[in-house]
Amino acid sequence: MTSPELSAPARRETRPAGAPAPAGRRRAGTRPSWVLIVPAVLAAALAVLPLGYLAVRALERGPAYAWGVIADDRTGELLLRSLGLTTTVVAACLLVGVSLAWLTVRTALPGARAWSVLVTLPLAVPSYVTAFAWLSAAPSLAGFTGSALALTLVSFPYVYLPVAAALRGTDPGHEEVARSLGHGPFRTFLRVTLPQLRPAAAGGGLLVALYVLSDFGAVSLMRYDTFTRGIYTSYRASFDRTPAAALSAVLVVMTVLLVAAETRTRGRADYARTGTGTARRAVPAALGRLRALALAWCGAIVAVAVGFPLATLGYWLAVGTSATWDPATLSTTALTTLGVAAAGAALTTLVALPVGVIAARHRGRLAHLLEQAAYAGHAVPGITVALALVFFAVRYARPLYQETPLLICAYMVLFLPVAVAATRAAVLQAPPVLDDVARSLGRTPFGVLREVTLPLAAPGVAAGAALTFVVCMKELPATLLLRPTGMDTLATRLWTETGTGSFAAAAPYAAALILLAAVPSYLLGRHRP
Amino acid sequence: MRRPLARTLTAFAAAALLLPLAGCGSGEPAGLVIYSGRNENLVKPLVEKLEKHLGTNVEVRYGDSAELSAQLLEEGDKTEAGLFLSQDAGALGALSKEQRLAPLPRTTLDKVAPAHRGSAGDWTGVSGRVRVLGYAPAQVPAPPNSVHELVKPEWKGRIGFAPTNASFQAFVTGMRVLEGDDATRTWLKGLKANEPKAYDNNLKVLDAVDKGEVAIGLLNHYYWYEQVAEKGADKVKAKIHYLPEGDPGGLVNVAGVGILKGADEKQAGYAQQAVDYLLSAEAQKYFAEETKEYPLVAGVKTAEGVPPLETLQPPKIDLGRLDSLKQTLTMLQDVGLV
């Protein structure tokens, strides 16, 4: 470990004096404006709250006990299994997400707009439903294969959405130059387009990785022992919070390493548009003979990721007798879900903005730390984060405990990284020189943010908001513990009905979840800058 | 086009942040708050009856028993809950151990046999369930009469169980009490060697048996009756078998209730009345008829089709002695089953 006093000048020496700072970001020396720093630090402080709880619980029986839990052979084994699963799912999501984004945004794919809506829908399917559907159809999938399949199918939109937004935002001029210099469409994609997508794809991949690490629904159904299952066993089998906290702390370390690794892959390339900052729409690439193949690929993904779970819901309705069609409860529940999810998405996006802007525009320890903080708790299972919020709320915010505002704050803590990743990728594409120009023309830092940076980044930020909206809608563990007593969301109803095996009664709630998620997907699919 | 989008987003955000706040604080304050680890579908009608009986609003927070007990431990004496209705004895035991439960009066405790309540006198069972073998008749013409049969090689790869589920662990603890740690460890190793398939809960074990994914499964009796009620008797292929002669595999487990310390006097009063109501003939009959469980208070009959407890030969174990769950878990971990 280098001491901070030594590392700062050492880093500065790596670039010769007078060399231009990497475009897309400011020089290392410039500090972000207070307008950004203050809210960003507050956001980061909220995001690391659960870590404080983990420390309290993990160490309540002394460090030796906690270390005993962590150093156990089984812990290492579970960690390796989790990492194996994570790597596989991230690779699969990158392949599916990037290919679909390119096909729907940049090619003359027939029905591109409809496809771009359809391929974001899997996000609304709870991993539990997907895993259940596959397991019913093919029990032999249980284990690694089934877990990897189910998790890929529900989480590839984490990659698709930011990459599609980035593709819409990149300047086609780059590609036109490459084409004019003799590159074919495929080579252009590989050498010009793909590198520009790196921040969006890496950010999405990171979210997928953290999602896989924290998932319990799919792996428990698929009976694949992962690290998170170890944590749940600690609660469910031994009613013991100490080992669960110690194991969660390991996940936090994993997250910090993953975020650091992702930061390293970012490099120093220029992601912003050239020219005035108004991107034209790229001329869609003709698919030619590959059209049928491209259509088959999109169709297959939508069929397995959305069609198949929907068909399973239909099957539930057909075989069960518990179908008590109750439109009143369904619509009340749907409205409640919409309300809390929209509020959750709005708050999360708002809080993520300063962190995302700083992470995109600035280098240095502060920017780094803020981003790390936003992510730190994201791989920790929902139940642990929920208990952390219970711990703090009953002590320091008793009047808010089990009231809607606290539930919304919980969504913010849980899903901050989703919005931060989207904001950061979007801001990276807006040329920083425009910020400087606006400043020199007398705009305040806040004015620059409002009038220059955010309007340019709006599509990406909106994609992040939509993503957050959908994940809030299907959140379960924290909602169960923190919702106002008696309140139901679609996810909690789904949990209740499937808990007694009343699959027919559960089907309408699952279907409503998927349909409601289609609304933001549709808006985003339709929106073209 | 960008401008309107940003503006729409901002307006949307403002509306979204304000909307849910408007919905807060509706209705009369509840006289009693219950944390229920039992499913809403199973207990909601009973809660409505309880409301009438108490003459006050009853609010219920539903969740997983273990997670709710963790939540109650985090809340400590600042909890709003007056009563904890648990799916299993283990979650109540965890709260009892941390001294979060108030002692119950003798008159209440005496309604239930000592074997079916907590040894510290701070929680009581309200309904019983029996561990049974679920089997697929197509694969298993004659189910075995003891769990000890299951370690034979013929069952390799054909057993389903829910190792992290509280009722399975209570069964293992029961076996330790009945047959000793060494015998239990040997049995668990034999089970492990037969490569049983681990499921998340009893319902999924039953589902696996029903689909023929496994030939035999260890589960609680009432899941089968629930599935028959949901799908119809002819659509459920699995059958269940009650184990005779005090076999440890036929343990009787309970779902129970405890009053939380820290509730104000008024709520504690309602909570006490609620416990007595749950042990009343009306509520006991509800458990028997609706959830197909065993009533724990004398004089109430089991549902039709469910064999009465007297005709079964469950092992004679004091549930108060099942508190050595920690050792059970350590054993399961050592053997490699969880």
Side-chain angles (χ1 to χ4, degrees):
Chain A
M1 239 193 259
T2 354
S3 77
E5 290 81 3
L6 284 175
S7 63
R11 197 180 301 149
R12 216 168 283 145
E13 276 165 21
T14 55
R15 207 182 318 133
R25 294 192 196 95
R26 300 253 171 88
R27 290 178 311 276
T30 41
R31 202 145 23 96
S33 130
W34 290 109
V35 174
L36 288 171
I37 291 186
V38 174
V41 168
L42 285 175
L46 281 171
V48 296
L49 262 188
L51 305 195
Y53 165 81
L54 288 184
V56 171
R57 280 286 164 259
L59 297 175
E60 70 184 338
R61 264 178 250 159
Y65 182 90
W67 179 247
V69 172
I70 295 170
D72 193 89
D73 286 350
R74 179 130 178 92
T75 309
E77 189 193 314
L78 287 178
L79 198 57
L80 279 180
R81 291 166 76 99
S82 275
L83 288 178
L85 184 65
T86 306
T87 316
T88 311
V89 174
V90 168
C93 284
L94 285 174
L95 177 73
V96 175
V98 173
S99 64
L100 289 179
W102 186 70
L103 284 172
T104 54
V105 177
R106 282 299 177 84
T107 69
L109 183 77
R113 283 185 183 200
W115 288 118
S116 64
V117 172
L118 286 172
V119 295
T120 58
L121 284 186
L123 203 63
V125 185
S127 66
Y128 170 89
V129 175
T130 303
F132 190 93
W134 283 99
L135 212 51
S136 321
S140 61
L141 278 174
F144 181 85
T145 321
S147 306
L149 178 76
L151 286 168
T152 302
L153 291 180
V154 295
S155 56
F156 77 80
Y158 277 120
V159 175
Y160 170 83
L161 274 174
V163 170
L167 273 173
R168 289 189 194 113
T170 43
D171 190 339
H174 286 137
E175 288 155 42
E176 285 159 9
V177 169
R179 292 297 295 274
S180 76
L181 292 174
H183 278 323
F186 187 66
R187 266 180 79 93
T188 307
F189 174 75
L190 223 56
R191 297 198 50 190
V192 180
T193 319
L194 210 53
Q196 296 224 29
L197 298 179
R198 204 161 60 176
L206 178 64
L207 288 176
V208 172
L210 299 180
Y211 178 78
V212 174
L213 280 178
S214 71
D215 175 78
F216 176 69
V219 292
S220 76
L221 267 173
M222 289 292 181
R223 305 196 304 279
Y224 189 67
D225 253 330
T226 62
F227 206 72
T228 312
R229 255 187 103 174
I231 292 175
Y232 270 80
T233 303
S234 177
Y235 290 120
R236 293 199 172 158
S238 59
F239 305 98
D240 199 345
R241 293 162 295 162
T242 307
L247 293 176
S248 298
V250 176
L251 282 180
V252 173
V253 174
M254 288 301 311
T255 310
V256 169
L257 292 177
L258 276 172
V259 175
E262 191 254 352
T263 316
R264 281 191 86 100
T265 67
R266 284 174 192 172
R268 296 183 166 185
D270 175 2
Y271 300 111
R273 304 169 194 126
T274 48
T276 57
T278 34
R280 266 177 307 113
R281 198 168 164 215
V283 179
L287 284 165
R289 275 168 302 158
L290 292 175
R291 210 165 88 153
L293 199 64
L295 276 174
W297 175 240
C298 294
I301 297 289
V302 170
V304 293
V306 190
F308 186 59
L310 279 176
T312 305
L313 297 183
Y315 173 76
W316 285 1
L317 274 173
V319 296
T321 54
S322 63
T324 41
W325 181 240
D326 187 354
T329 314
L330 183 63
S331 62
T332 319
T333 315
L335 274 177
T336 311
T337 311
L338 279 176
V340 291
L347 181 68
T348 311
T349 309
L350 212 62
V351 172
L353 273 179
V355 185
V357 172
I358 291 179
R361 284 286 192 249
H362 300 274
R363 295 192 94 114
R365 223 171 298 136
L366 178 73
H368 228 84
L369 215 66
L370 285 172
E371 207 185 354
Q372 277 280 12
Y375 279 91
H378 199 55
V380 175
I383 174 69
T384 311
V385 176
L387 285 173
L389 291 165
V390 169
F391 176 88
F392 286 108
V394 290
R395 279 170 181 76
Y396 309 111
R398 193 66 185 79
L400 283 182
Y401 183 57
Q402 295 181 345
E403 297 291 347
T404 312
L406 188 77
L407 179 64
I408 290 161
C409 289
Y411 289 151
M412 189 269 288
V413 172
L414 278 165
F415 301 124
L416 191 61
V418 176
V420 166
T423 308
R424 185 184 158 276
V427 172
L428 267 183
Q429 290 196 322
V433 64
L434 294 183
D435 295 9
D436 297 338
V437 171
R439 277 293 274 153
S440 75
L441 290 174
R443 291 287 185 278
T444 58
F446 182 70
V448 175
L449 194 65
R450 196 170 57 96
E451 290 173 43
V452 180
T453 319
L454 288 186
L456 287 173
V461 174
L467 207 61
T468 318
F469 175 76
V470 177
V471 289
C472 286
M473 274 208 320
K474 62 175 183 173
E475 204 287 332
L476 182 64
T479 310
L480 281 176
L481 263 55
L482 296 172
R483 61 183 165 158
T485 304
M487 186 192 103
D488 259 320
T489 66
L490 292 169
T492 65
R493 279 310 317 171
L494 186 59
W495 171 82
T496 301
E497 302 295 354
T498 51
T500 47
S502 319
F503 292 113
Y509 295 99
L513 206 53
I514 299 174
L515 284 176
L516 286 179
V519 177
S521 308
Y522 172 73
L523 289 175
L524 283 167
R526 216 184 49 163
H527 176 77
R528 306 272 166 166
Chain B
M1 186 109 185
R2 260 178 230 127
R3 254 314 160 81
L5 180 79
R7 211 173 285 159
T8 319
L9 265 182
T10 320
F12 175 70
L17 280 176
L18 293 175
L19 249 173
L21 295 178
C24 288
S26 58
E28 280 171 53
L32 177 63
V33 177
I34 300 178
Y35 278 21
S36 170
R38 305 213 59 186
N39 193 288
E40 184 172 356
N41 286 347
L42 298 182
V43 297
K44 196 176 185 186
L46 189 63
V47 170
E48 281 161 10
K49 289 181 191 191
L50 176 66
E51 271 187 324
K52 250 180 230 147
H53 177 80
L54 295 180
T56 183
N57 269 355
V58 175
E59 269 185 4
V60 191
R61 165 172 300 273
Y62 295 96
D64 171 88
S65 289
E67 288 172 15
L68 286 174
S69 86
Q71 183 171 21
L72 284 165
L73 288 175
E74 292 301 354
E75 289 176 358
D77 53 11
K78 294 189 185 71
T79 188
E80 256 176 31
L83 201 66
F84 179 41
L85 183 57
S86 171
Q87 171 78 356
D88 54 73
L92 285 160
L95 287 172
S96 169
K97 214 176 103 199
E98 301 286 329
Q99 278 140 33
R100 291 298 319 132
L101 297 177
L104 295 170
R106 178 92 347 238
T107 46
T108 304
L109 290 172
D110 281 344
K111 289 176 193 164
V112 176
H116 298 147
R117 59 183 200 230
S119 47
D122 54 3
W123 64 267
T124 175
V126 292
S127 59
R129 51 282 298 275
V130 178
R131 296 287 297 170
V132 296
L133 291 181
Y135 65 99
Q139 297 179 52
V140 186
N145 273 330
S146 167
V147 287
H148 287 291
E149 300 277 320
L150 298 179
V151 296
K152 290 186 177 163
E154 65 194 86
W155 296 107
K156 191 159 193 160
R158 301 172 73 199
I159 305 166
F161 75 141
T164 58
N165 191 271
S167 50
F168 173 78
Q169 295 184 352
F171 144 65
V172 176
T173 310
M175 192 185 226
R176 287 179 44 231
V177 173
L178 285 170
E179 302 181 355
D181 280 5
D182 291 342
T184 307
R185 189 181 291 270
T186 309
W187 184 80
L188 287 171
K189 278 183 182 157
L191 184 69
K192 167 84 178 170
N194 262 346
E195 294 164 17
K197 292 187 180 159
Y199 294 87
D200 207 29
N201 57 37
N202 284 299
L203 189 61
K204 284 164 197 156
V205 173
L206 178 59
D207 203 47
V209 176
D210 201 46
K211 286 191 193 118
E213 216 173 292
V214 290
I216 208 152
L218 297 160
L219 50 108
N220 289 344
H221 78 282
Y222 63 95
Y223 289 97
W224 185 78
Y225 294 94
E226 269 171 20
Q227 280 297 292
V228 168
E230 160 85 9
K231 292 182 182 165
D234 51 326
K235 290 233 176 71
V236 180
K237 292 193 200 95
K239 296 255 178 291
I240 53 170
H241 178 58
Y242 290 86
L243 294 164
E245 291 167 20
D247 190 83
L251 182 79
V252 177
N253 240 315
V254 297
V257 70
I259 296 175
L260 289 145
K261 277 184 191 166
D264 60 58
E265 218 169 288
K266 203 168 160 207
Q267 176 161 232
Y270 280 130
Q272 179 55 50
Q273 285 181 54
V275 174
D276 286 324
Y277 176 76
L278 291 171
L279 296 174
S280 72
E282 187 181 51
Q284 289 290 302
K285 202 162 170 239
Y286 176 87
F287 286 124
E289 296 295 330
E290 299 301 321
T291 65
K292 313 288 182 192
E293 287 173 282
Y294 286 97
L296 294 181
V297 175
V300 184
K301 282 207 173 73
T302 48
E304 215 181 294
V306 181
L309 210 50
E310 304 85 69
T311 65
L312 303 177
Q313 301 157 324
K316 292 188 170 43
I317 297 180
D318 187 343
L319 276 189
R321 290 177 67 193
L322 291 187
D323 56 5
S324 59
L325 200 69
K326 190 136 259 168
Q327 289 93 305
T328 299
L329 195 76
T330 312
M331 193 182 279
L332 286 169
Q333 280 166 341
D334 286 350
V335 176
L337 281 172
V338 293

